[in-house]
Amino acid sequence: IKPSETDLAIELIEEGVAIVDWPQPRAEMTLVFGLARQERLSFYDACYLDLAQREGAGLASRDKALLDAAMRLGLDVHDLR
């Protein structure tokens, strides 16, 4: 995910073209895009990772990259492969 793509996504949300259910969309989108870049994940996978972190929950998946990222962040991991 490139920074220019991050900016475009945030602009679309601020213009009402895309809808998210976050209290502070700009801050939360920036955080999740940063997590996606840091862990080399899709935005979609980074959303799951962020949610598990915020909720203090474990993460179950068949996706190796997502499971590896969750382990690096110290989350409980359930490998469904």
Side-chain angles (χ1 to χ4, degrees):
I1 297 173
K2 300 172 188 167
S4 60
E5 294 169 331
T6 302
D7 293 340
L8 176 60
I10 291 171
E11 284 176 30
L12 292 173
I13 289 167
E14 289 176 338
E15 293 172 5
V17 175
I19 299 170
V20 295
D21 187 22
W22 283 327
Q24 299 176 330
R26 178 174 279 281
E28 294 180 38
M29 291 279 292
T30 300
L31 184 130
V32 174
F33 275 119
L35 184 60
R37 279 193 296 271
Q38 170 191 317
E39 296 297 335
R40 298 177 189 253
L41 297 171
S42 68
F43 178 77
Y44 185 80
D45 284 349
C47 285
Y48 280 110
L49 191 57
D50 175 64
L51 180 62
Q53 268 190 305
R54 285 188 289 118
E55 295 295 322
L59 194 135
S61 179
R62 292 181 179 184
D63 185 299
K64 181 179 178 352
L66 181 56
L67 292 169
D68 289 347
M71 284 189 284
R72 282 191 294 277
L73 296 174
L75 299 176
D76 288 329
V77 171
H78 306 280
D79 189 339
L80 302 178
R81 293 176 287 171

